[in-house]
């Protein structure tokens, strides 16, 4: 996911600067998510090996999306000074921050499930895990819809929809896995959206 952080930063460097505060704040949100995802979350995660094709596809997507979001906010979208007080910006910002907070918290709970060296699966508990099987995915979807509302641009909405479809599919697979693996898995726990799905 590093290109999603580096590509916009390189675009900012190449452009010299961003024209207005709205674009700066919005690009900061996007880059902030991927800075955390790549350089902070990545340092704490004990992952397993994955296929190189998966890594390459992710790298290509993150490069393209980083370019699209960065280029759009730097060169294509102009916000007037009132944008940072617009309801869409403020509502989107709140959604983004809530989503990122729950995303980080859910990832933290997942990391705490296993002690170093353990490889067995356990049922996650606490936080939004009491309501859904994949709160980290739900929170990330909330983040990107918040970002899309705050930017009010087509590339951001397209990315939010793509994220919802991709992460929603993964959440469904996670939920099925938990239900099949653990007979005691909570029956009231939904797949992705608390109380609904």
């Amino acid at each position: 996911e590093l290109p999603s952080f580096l590509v916009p930063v390189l675009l900012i460097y190449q452009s010299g600067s961003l024209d207005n505060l709205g674009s700066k704040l919005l690009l900061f949100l996007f880059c902030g998510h991927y800075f955390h995802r790549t350089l902070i979350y990545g340092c704490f995660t004990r992952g397993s090996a994955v296929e190189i094709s998966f890594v390459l596809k992710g790298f290509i997507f993150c490069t393209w999306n980083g370019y699209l979001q960065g280029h759009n906010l730097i060169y294509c979208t102009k916000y007037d000074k009132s944008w940072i007080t617009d309801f869409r910006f403020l509502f989107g910002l709140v959604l983004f921050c809530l989503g990122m907070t729950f995303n980080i918290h859910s990832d933290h709970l997942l990391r705490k499930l296993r002690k170093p060296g353990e490889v067995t699966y356990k049922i996650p508990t606490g936080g939004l895990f009491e309501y859904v099987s994949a709160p980290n995915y739900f929170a990330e979807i909330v983040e990107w819809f918040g970002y899309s509302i705050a930017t009010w641009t087509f590339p951001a909405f397209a990315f939010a929809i793509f994220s919802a479809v991709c992460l929603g599919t993964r959440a469904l697979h996670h939920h099925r896995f938990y239900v099949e693996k653990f007979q005691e898995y909570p029956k009231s726990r939904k797949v992705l959206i608390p109380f609904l799905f």
Side-chain angles (χ1 to χ4, degrees):
E1 293 178 308
L2 183 62
S4 288
F5 169 71
L6 280 182
V7 171
V9 168
L10 291 172
L11 286 171
I12 293 168
Y13 177 77
Q14 179 187 15
S15 72
S17 69
L18 292 170
D19 289 348
N20 58 56
L21 183 60
S23 292
K24 288 177 186 175
L25 288 173
L26 292 164
L27 207 49
F28 175 78
L29 295 179
F30 183 82
C31 291
H33 170 89
Y34 284 106
F35 177 85
H36 173 267
R37 197 81 187 148
T38 306
L39 302 173
I40 298 172
Y41 171 81
C43 292
F44 291 110
T45 303
R46 300 181 307 269
S48 55
V50 294
E51 292 182 26
I52 190 69
S53 64
F54 179 79
V55 175
L56 289 175
K57 288 175 190 173
F59 186 85
I60 291 167
F61 173 79
C62 287
T63 301
W64 173 245
N65 189 49
Y67 175 79
L68 191 63
Q69 302 302 327
H71 185 272
N72 181 58
L73 285 175
I74 294 168
Y75 297 108
C76 303
T77 307
K78 302 297 179 200
Y79 299 102
D80 58 33
K81 290 181 181 179
S82 67
W83 184 251
I84 59 172
T85 59
D86 187 282
F87 176 77
R88 291 168 292 180
F89 177 83
L90 296 172
F91 180 65
L93 180 64
V94 168
L95 278 183
F96 182 90
C97 291
L98 282 173
M100 188 161 183
T101 300
F102 282 115
N103 190 358
I104 291 169
H105 182 253
S106 299
D107 286 339
H108 173 72
L109 292 175
L110 281 175
R111 279 195 310 273
K112 285 180 25 178
L113 270 180
R114 296 181 187 167
K115 295 183 173 96
E118 274 189 326
V119 292
T120 57
Y121 285 97
K122 297 178 181 177
I123 298 173
T125 58
L128 289 178
F129 279 108
E130 300 302 320
Y131 306 100
V132 293
S133 294
N136 48 337
Y137 295 157
F138 169 68
E140 189 161 344
I141 291 168
V142 169
E143 262 186 271
W144 294 128
F145 272 99
Y147 171 76
S148 68
I149 292 167
T151 62
W152 210 251
T153 64
F154 178 75
F157 278 108
F159 177 47
I161 291 167
F162 174 84
S163 296
V165 170
C166 180
L167 295 175
T169 303
R170 290 175 66 186
L172 189 56
H173 289 293
H174 281 301
H175 183 76
R176 287 179 181 161
F177 170 81
Y178 284 131
V179 169
E180 289 170 10
K181 182 149 184 79
F182 301 105
Q183 289 184 346
E184 69 276 18
Y185 196 71
K187 302 284 187 240
S188 62
R189 199 174 286 190
K190 301 295 185 185
V191 176
L192 184 68
I193 303 170
F195 310 111
L196 297 175
F197 170 71

